[in-house]
């Protein structure tokens, strides 16, 4: 079944990659309308998933992620419309040059081809991933969580109907309906058909894809983000940034999980921090210096420093120097986003260059690591690897390039 | 042992990525001199490998690849010197912009970090891969073929001595001396230390790395390259290109392995082709149309069309249309390099856009798919995947980027 789907994807790719921007936008706008038109059908399907979820005792949080409402479908639809409005990066000539032998070489931006997405029980990803991939001339094969299978199937049907009506091969989006482990395992080895695999979800899902896929993977989303308060920091600014990065939204990958503080300001910072975090009900887990001030706090261990809590917990580490702060961060971070708060441009520059993360901040919240906040207009995820794309991935990051070489009979 | 090496690599990375272009060039030039100085020692080590190779009955071809001479060491040394002369891509600001909230975002080119290279019994790769990786601020961990272990060890020693003398951490290059399978398997899963793994060698090696590595891989080098002779082709030009692409060098990935001919010119092309290939001792394996003209020829089957011969063999397929040619190529090629010979700009344009290869040629030999021929000044390999880099990879392709974000206390 997977093989047949793969062949269909390849077939669809041949025409989808050649669609004009206008054709793609038209199909996207039709898809946006189709979701609205099919709202009742989608909601009914979603209710099946919700009922099954309640029966099996899914947590309130997971149920909330799974749930669709009229408004949420409207949001999905509006999301697709927004993607239609974005500039199309495909077809751009990135470079061109002539060789001494007269060969004329063009480097042209092209779609990646067939993109696989593996995600959890979030039905909105179905519409979202489709829109971004389709806008960039890619074909998608989606493998969503089994708990959302009815919702995903309903949404996919609407999108496929819209494509057909727009005269586009509906296999530009295919949903894998078998949600068992074996199918997933085989999907991750479908190198003959897929050009890239992008996991979207928690650390467990991502690790499983990284470990098992033979298809090139873009690793996304795990964020153990640090804020380092330097000895020259504006402490008021530091505190505002910490509060924002830690508490504005808890469960996201660009939230702050670890605080690093220069010993010269530790005694001043910690009481302020403790008060602010208590107010926000954030538990602090500190090192010796911190715990000496607040003996009731739990001591932070190695695991705390490495942990992406996604919770009301923050680890705290005191350092003797900027150098030690950088070492600590480079050791424990996930190469996602880290920040220095300092008034010294020189020390900031050093930190920015030495900390090996996708996004390194000087005096700003790590929460800005986001395709929309960067001005990309969209986001398929945040890459924490160095190959292909790093940090927020927008439309351009869903493309590759090819070389077109024009000659007049040149031989070597 | 691998873990310790990984930790040393990370430690070296911290300083190597910050070296100035001048520092890197100085170390490279010293390394080039060191290879010359150590010629006798390297040749003695190589003789150990050669003797072991002869004893175990290695083929003449493999022994030739393994063999080092004074001249070959001079070539390696000169290769390093050439890399030192190339512009350093690291540090370039690729883009910068300000957001409405005042955040200033810079996208800066940085090294990939720690690069793993797995290769076969070609000792020259040791010096070559080191030079390219080091020039781009990367640290390398090399795993060469067991048959070249003495040569690789000797070369690595010289390079490490040069680095030390230049004041650079010698762990910028480390050679894994255990060449057993288990070590290789563990090396391919060293995600905690390696940012990317690049296999250099035959299809078997590459497939094994793709299948077993959990580290992001750049797949290189398998080339089932096609030349399509269109109905509007200049047949003389076509023949010259075919002869060049097939026979100028047999064992390389950009050599032509498959010929596709439009039926309108097949009867004219085939006798000329047969004569030319006979002269070069190339065996032709054709489809029905071809074999009807030359019944003594072996018929081409599915496997022939998919095969990267790297030998004096060429498969031949007759097609009814440009469309069929494109389908055939997209089905059997390895996305490396393919060519159309035609006088029609329109048909060429169509072919260039539809054939999904890293390099698509119009009226030129596929042999030009090469970092030097493209003008990159160097080449670490030719990527046949779409993620990160496609086609010839020079220095830029050994880099990633990071975002530096400067704020004044911005929060969300």
């Amino acid at each position: 079944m997977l093989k047949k789907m793969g062949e269909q994807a390849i077939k669809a790719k041949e025409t989808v990659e050649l669609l004009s921007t206008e054709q793609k936008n038209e199909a996207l706008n039709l898809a946006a309308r189709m979701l609205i038109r099919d709202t009742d059908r989608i909601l009914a399907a979603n209710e099946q998933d919700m009922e099954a979820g309640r029966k099996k005792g899914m947590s309130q949080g997971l149920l909330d992620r799974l749930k669709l409402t009229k408004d949420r479908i409207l949001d999905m639809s509006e999301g697709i419309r927004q993607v239609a409005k974005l500039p199309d990066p495909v077809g751009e000539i990135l470079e061109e040059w002539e060789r001494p032998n007269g060969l004329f070489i063009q480097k042209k931006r092209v779609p990646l081809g067939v993109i696989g997405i593996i995600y959890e029980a979030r039905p909105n990803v179905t519409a979202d991933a489709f829109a971004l991939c389709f806008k960039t001339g890619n074909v998608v094969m989606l493998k969503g969580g089994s708990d959302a299978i009815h919702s995903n199937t309903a949404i996919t049907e609407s999108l496929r109907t819209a494509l057909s009506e727009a005269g586009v091969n509906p296999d530009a989006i295919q949903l894998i309906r078998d949600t068992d482990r074996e199918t997933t395992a085989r999907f991750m080895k479908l190198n003959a058909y897929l050009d890239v695999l992008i996991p979207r979800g928690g650390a467990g899902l991502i690790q499983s894809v990284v470990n098992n896929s033979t298809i090139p993977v873009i690793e996304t989303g795990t964020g153990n983000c640090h804020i380092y308060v330097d000895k020259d920091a504006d402490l008021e600014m530091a505190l505002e940034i910490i509060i924002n990065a830690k508490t504005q939204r808890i469960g996201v990958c660009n939230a702050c999980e670890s605080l690093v503080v220069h010993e010269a300001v530790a005694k001043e910072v910690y009481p302020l921090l403790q008060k602010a975090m208590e107010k926000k009900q954030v538990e602090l887990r500190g090192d010796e210096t911190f715990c000496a001030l607040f003996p009731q706090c739990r001591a932070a261990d190695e695991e705390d420093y490495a942990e992406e809590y996604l919770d009301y917990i923050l680890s705290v580490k005191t350092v003797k120097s900027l150098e030690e702060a950088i070492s600590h961060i480079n050791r424990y971070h996930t190469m996602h986003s880290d920040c220095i708060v300092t008034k010294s441009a020189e020390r900031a520059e050093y930190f920015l260059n030495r900390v090996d993360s996708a996004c390194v901040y000087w005096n700003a919240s790590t929460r800005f690591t986001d395709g929309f906040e960067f001005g990309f207009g969209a986001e398929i995820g945040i890459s924490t690897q160095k190959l292909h794309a790093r940090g927020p991935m927008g439309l351009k990051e869903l493309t590759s390039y090819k070389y077109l070489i024009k000659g007049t009979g040149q031989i070597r």
Side-chain angles (χ1 to χ4, degrees), chain A residues 163-192:
Chain A
L163 289 177
S164 290
E165 287 191 15
V168 175
N169 186 334
D171 292 332
I173 171 172
Q174 292 184 89
L175 177 74
I176 298 167
R177 299 201 187 180
D178 292 339
T179 54
D180 56 295
R181 271 162 191 274
E182 203 202 317
T183 304
T184 310
R186 282 194 298 127
F187 182 48
M188 291 193 272
K189 298 191 190 299
L190 227 52
N191 295 55

Side-chain angles (χ1 to χ4, degrees), chain A residues 50 59-68 72:
Chain A
M50 288 296 288
S59 76
Q60 213 44 52
L62 289 179
L63 284 172
D64 181 60
R65 283 185 180 188
L66 178 57
K67 190 176 177 55
L68 290 177
R72 287 189 177 179

Side-chain angles (χ1 to χ4, degrees), chain A residues 274-331:
Chain A
Q274 202 274 340
K275 203 178 282 176
M277 289 298 119
E278 193 169 44
K279 217 163 137 186
K280 296 279 186 182
Q281 295 185 294
V282 174
E283 179 193 342
L284 293 166
R285 296 186 186 169
D287 62 355
E288 274 183 33
T289 312
F290 183 83
C291 291
L293 290 173
F294 303 99
Q296 76 279 19
C297 280
R298 182 169 146 178
D301 58 19
E302 288 281 300
E303 277 178 37
D304 280 298
Y305 292 131
E307 181 88 9
E308 185 192 22
Y309 295 118
L310 299 173
D311 201 350
Y312 287 90
I313 310 171
L314 181 67
S315 74
V316 182
K317 167 80 182 173
T318 318
V319 292
K320 289 190 166 49
S321 63
L322 175 58
E323 199 60 45
E324 192 190 342
I326 292 167
S327 291
H328 178 84
I329 293 170
N330 280 338
R331 177 157 178 199

Side-chain angles (χ1 to χ4, degrees), chain A residues 32 81 85 94 115 119 143 176 213 236 308 369 405:
Chain A
R81 246 184 258 282
K85 283 183 191 145
L94 298 166
I115 299 178
Y119 55 111
K143 164 72 192 61
I176 298 167
S213 173
E236 204 176 311
E308 185 192 22
T369 299
I405 305 108

Side-chain angles (χ1 to χ4, degrees), chain A residues 20-35:
Chain A
S20 69
T21 304
E22 292 66 34
Q23 286 172 308
K24 291 188 281 191
N25 292 346
E26 200 183 303
L28 285 170
N29 286 324
L30 197 56
R33 285 201 296 280
M34 203 63 78
L35 289 183

Side-chain angles (χ1 to χ4, degrees), chain A residues 286-388:
Chain A
D287 62 355
E288 274 183 33
T289 312
F290 183 83
C291 291
L293 290 173
F294 303 99
Q296 76 279 19
C297 280
R298 182 169 146 178
D301 58 19
E302 288 281 300
E303 277 178 37
D304 280 298
Y305 292 131
E307 181 88 9
E308 185 192 22
Y309 295 118
L310 299 173
D311 201 350
Y312 287 90
I313 310 171
L314 181 67
S315 74
V316 182
K317 167 80 182 173
T318 318
V319 292
K320 289 190 166 49
S321 63
L322 175 58
E323 199 60 45
E324 192 190 342
I326 292 167
S327 291
H328 178 84
I329 293 170
N330 280 338
R331 177 157 178 199
Y332 292 104
H333 70 167
T334 53
M335 301 171 75
H336 189 297
S337 301
D338 299 294
C339 165
I340 181 172
V341 184
T342 184
K343 281 185 230 161
S344 160
E346 196 188 332
R347 290 167 73 85
E349 208 59 55
Y350 190 73
F351 183 92
L352 291 172
N353 285 314
R354 290 288 312 281
V355 170
D356 191 8
S357 296
C359 301
V360 197
Y361 289 85
W362 174 24
N363 291 345
S365 171
T366 53
R367 288 278 292 115
F368 288 105
T369 299
D370 175 286
F372 297 91
E373 292 295 334
F374 268 49
F376 297 166
E379 183 188 288
I380 188 84
I382 293 172
S383 164
T384 51
Q385 69 183 37
K386 289 190 179 174
L387 216 60
H388 186 69

